[in-house]
Amino acid sequence: MSAVELSEQELIRRNSLEELNKLGINAFPADEFEITHYSEDIKKQFEANEEEEGLKDITMAGRIMSRRIMGNASFAEIKDQQGRIQLYFRRDDICEGDDKTMYNTVFKKLLDIGDIIGIRGYVFKTQMGETSVYVKEFKVLTKSLKPLPIVKEKDGKTYDAFTDPELRYRQRYVDLIVNDQVKDTFLKRTKIINTMRDFFNDKGYMEVETPILQAIPGGASARPFETHHNALNIPLYLRIANELYLKRLIVGGFDGVYEFAKDFRNEGMDRTHNPEFTVMEIYVAYKDYKWMMNFTEEMIEKVALALHGTTKVQVGDKEIDFKRPFKRISMIDSIQEHTGVDINGMNEEQLFKVCADLGIETDPSMGKGKLIDEIFGEKCEGSYIQPTFITDYPVEMSPLCKKHRENPELTERFELMVNGKELANAYSELNDPIDQLDRFQDQLKLSEKGDDEAMFIDMDFVRSLEYGMPPTSGMGIGVDRLAMLMTNQQSIQEVLLFPQMRPEKKVEADGPEKYVELGMAQEWAEVIIKLGYKKVDAVKEVKPTKLHQEMCGYNKKNKLGYKNPSQDDVKAWLA
């Protein structure tokens, strides 16, 4: 990166780095820095017992977030993995001899907000009553070469906050540094997953791993991402679900298996969808979907209690209660309740007419399952704010699900709806290999009609069923959506550390020669670029007096020694 492309702050920090090197201070040391204490632990221990011996000699490390230079004594605030704590620096303690370089030069002049330091000292309370660390010595651990966004607060109002979603998601590392609440969201996400994992392990179920690259993307109706394996010279797909592999393990003799999996679907992106997402799927032998409903609500209630200490969770302007038992209603009854239409027993032609009467858009490639799904999605789904199990889906919608024991037109399936969105999906799993092959072939017919989300036929899975899979119930839950609900986030990007982003737009900057063409000298062209004017057109929109003032100020501040242009010179350039 050339000096012309660097901002004024970046140049200053690189100059400070050079000065540190000249002093023999490595700003990126390789040796271990032993940490004995963290910020929040220090505060809790000291407030409990100010005489505790363990706080008389501590070492800690963190990022400088603010500084108040006050002559021979100064304050700073550092941030570590737990939070923030105030530091107190006194020149004659940092530099006990005649050489005051570490305080007067290194601390006061060469360190910046964002730098990472290690300190040794002891804990005390200031006259203002703030628990702080009295620094006896410090060490530079990392020099930050880019300035952090500085969030300012005055009279209860926040200024210059790092809130632009485009920047926050693309530069999540900065987001985590300056927005403390973001880190809290991801700590909660981890707690959600750990609570679920403990719940399964306590019941004796086994966590497993299944392939991400698959020859046949099965287990769901979705468009896959396709790639190519060079050595085998075959197409492969990123998995859209891990269901079929987990059920193979039930065939193999495991009574309960689960997996936290990354799945991939080549679909649109919005506030509840990301092409790469996390799902948990669990399969338990000798159980049915009714058992799985009880199991699912018990698990989610446990997650809410672990996170919040209550089953009531605030989601936007709504309070959602995850206390068991959840409401249950069949899909057909739900559609009749919300539209007044009984679709039970209707054929494809009749369903197309229902959609037309209800003003629902359709496509000729849609089969019965897709049509019913559209009706429910348009007219019913958004009504279910409190946790509700939608049960007994039409057979056309569920090619991997066992037919209902009382009505062969339906399947033993449920979806859990919360806040108007699907959260979990579960079946009494289809274990009849003949029926399964027939269902796959029906999906093939839909594919031939143009449905690019129809399921692939997986003959090896059919073969596994021919060896015999015990009666089984399976459930999948979207971990990202569960995290959104439990942390009161409206966008999936807020619960993904690195969500998928569109390619970053690169600003094409004009080179110094473009500015020279206006009549200015090369050195002033470089100054203007450093002032942030990346395009000649942008410079021409600035008032000459303002630009003149900025140029002269930069010259003086950075001691460049250039002869300042006159206002008339600047006017001539911009003309």
Side-chain angles (χ1 to χ4, degrees), residues 503-559:
E504 189 170 3
K505 291 180 180 178
K506 190 172 181 181
V507 178
E508 294 294 332
D510 289 333
E513 67 278 359
K514 292 284 186 181
Y515 298 85
V516 172
E517 289 174 7
L518 299 179
M520 67 183 72
Q522 173 81 17
E523 62 266 23
W524 284 115
E526 293 180 0
V527 166
I528 285 177
I529 293 171
K530 288 171 187 175
L531 286 169
Y533 300 105
K534 304 298 184 185
K535 304 285 287 184
V536 167
D537 289 344
V539 177
K540 290 182 176 180
E541 293 177 3
V542 182
K543 290 183 178 179
T545 52
K546 180 177 183 293
L547 185 61
H548 178 262
Q549 186 179 24
E550 288 181 342
M551 293 170 70
C552 295
Y554 188 92
N555 186 22
K556 181 179 179 181
K557 182 177 179 181
N558 292 279
K559 301 177 181 177

Side-chain angles (χ1 to χ4, degrees), residues 473-484:
S473 183
M475 183 267 290
I477 186 166
V479 174
D480 306 320
R481 285 193 183 175
L482 180 60
M484 287 172 63

Side-chain angles (χ1 to χ4, degrees), residues 302-566:
K302 195 176 188 72
V303 168
L305 288 168
L307 234 64
H308 304 290
T310 175
T311 58
K312 294 179 180 179
V313 177
Q314 194 68 33
V315 180
D317 59 355
K318 310 177 190 81
E319 184 180 77
I320 295 178
D321 194 346
F322 290 98
K323 184 173 178 58
R324 294 181 286 165
F326 300 166
K327 178 183 175 181
R328 304 177 186 195
I329 184 172
S330 74
M331 173 169 273
I332 287 175
D333 287 345
S334 174
I335 289 174
Q336 185 167 7
E337 182 180 288
H338 288 92
T339 68
V341 180
D342 183 0
I343 65 165
N344 193 26
M346 283 190 177
N347 59 28
E348 217 172 271
E349 184 180 345
Q350 291 169 315
L351 288 168
F352 270 114
K353 185 177 184 308
V354 169
C355 287
D357 292 343
L358 294 173
I360 296 171
E361 290 186 18
T362 58
D363 183 273
S365 69
M366 288 180 174
K368 280 183 67 174
K370 274 285 183 77
L371 292 168
I372 294 169
D373 194 30
E374 284 296 312
I375 295 169
F376 179 79
E378 287 281 331
K379 301 298 179 181
C380 311
E381 187 174 271
S383 303
Y384 295 106
I385 304 303
Q386 298 302 321
T388 304
F389 289 117
I390 306 298
T391 68
D392 305 338
Y393 282 51
V395 69
E396 293 82 6
M397 294 182 67
S398 311
L400 297 168
C401 185
K402 187 171 284 190
K403 287 181 180 176
H404 200 282
R405 65 196 76 173
E406 295 170 1
N407 183 348
E409 294 289 313
L410 304 176
T411 57
E412 296 199 348
R413 173 184 178 184
F414 72 78
E415 287 188 332
L416 175 60
M417 298 291 166
V418 184
N419 200 32
K421 292 289 181 183
E422 172 206 340
L423 180 61
N425 187 20
Y427 310 152
S428 292
E429 300 296 335
L430 179 58
N431 62 343
D432 178 344
I434 297 171
D435 190 2
Q436 180 64 82
L437 182 57
D438 288 343
R439 306 268 198 102
F440 275 149
Q441 288 170 339
D442 288 341
Q443 288 288 303
L444 181 61
K445 291 173 187 175
L446 289 175
S447 179
E448 290 168 351
K449 286 175 66 176
D451 186 347
D452 60 3
E453 293 186 351
M455 223 172 263
F456 287 57
I457 296 181
D458 188 336
M459 291 306 299
D460 178 69
F461 175 66
V462 175
R463 178 169 57 192
S464 74
L465 293 184
E466 290 175 341
Y467 283 95
M469 184 176 84
T472 297
S473 183
M475 183 267 290
I477 186 166
V479 174
D480 306 320
R481 285 193 183 175
L482 180 60
M484 287 172 63
L485 284 168
M486 292 294 174
T487 61
N488 193 15
Q489 300 294 341
Q490 303 304 308
S491 170
I492 194 171
Q493 285 91 347
E494 294 290 351
V495 297
L496 300 175
L497 279 167
F498 300 102
Q500 189 64 47
M501 302 290 291
R502 290 179 176 81
E504 189 170 3
K505 291 180 180 178
K506 190 172 181 181
V507 178
E508 294 294 332
D510 289 333
E513 67 278 359
K514 292 284 186 181
Y515 298 85
V516 172
E517 289 174 7
L518 299 179
M520 67 183 72
Q522 173 81 17
E523 62 266 23
W524 284 115
E526 293 180 0
V527 166
I528 285 177
I529 293 171
K530 288 171 187 175
L531 286 169
Y533 300 105
K534 304 298 184 185
K535 304 285 287 184
V536 167
D537 289 344
V539 177
K540 290 182 176 180
E541 293 177 3
V542 182
K543 290 183 178 179
T545 52
K546 180 177 183 293
L547 185 61
H548 178 262
Q549 186 179 24
E550 288 181 342
M551 293 170 70
C552 295
Y554 188 92
N555 186 22
K556 181 179 179 181
K557 182 177 179 181
N558 292 279
K559 301 177 181 177
L560 299 178
Y562 300 159
K563 181 182 178 183
N564 286 331
S566 67

